[in-house]
Amino acid sequence: VILSFATVLIAVNTVAGSAIASTGRTWVGFLFNLLWGIALIGFAYWLIPLYRATGLALATLLAYILHSCWQIFYVRRLYRETP
C-alpha cells in the first residue's frame, strides 16, 4: 500500500525529469537523482531497523516526496523564466 503512493510520485517525477532534460539541463536532473539516492539511503538507514520491510517502503516514499518537491519547484521556476 505504501509503495502504491510512491508509484504516483514516480510518474510525476518521470514527467518532471523529462521536462528538465528537454531544456538541456541533464546535469540538474542528475543532481536531483543523486539527492534522491542520498535521501533514500538516509531514510532507509533510519527506518529499516525500526520497521523492517515497512521501513524500506516508508523510506522510498519519503525520498520520492522530497524528490517530487525539488523537481516540481525547479520545473515551475524554470518554465516561469522561459519566454
Side-chain angles (χ1 to χ4, degrees), residues 2-76:
I2 295 169
L3 289 178
S4 62
F5 293 112
T7 303
V8 173
L9 296 175
I10 291 169
V12 170
N13 285 324
T14 300
V15 174
S18 296
I20 292 169
S22 71
T23 61
R25 291 173 169 89
T26 307
W27 284 106
V28 174
F30 172 76
L31 176 64
F32 285 138
N33 288 326
L34 179 65
L35 291 173
W36 169 82
I38 292 168
L40 177 61
I41 291 169
F43 285 131
Y45 183 79
W46 173 46
L47 292 170
I48 289 173
L50 299 173
Y51 303 108
R52 298 192 171 155
T54 303
L56 182 57
L58 286 169
T60 303
L61 177 62
L62 291 172
Y64 271 115
I65 288 170
L66 287 177
H67 194 235
S68 297
C69 291
W70 296 326
Q71 286 202 135
I72 290 169
F73 175 77
Y74 183 78
V75 168
R76 287 187 66 187

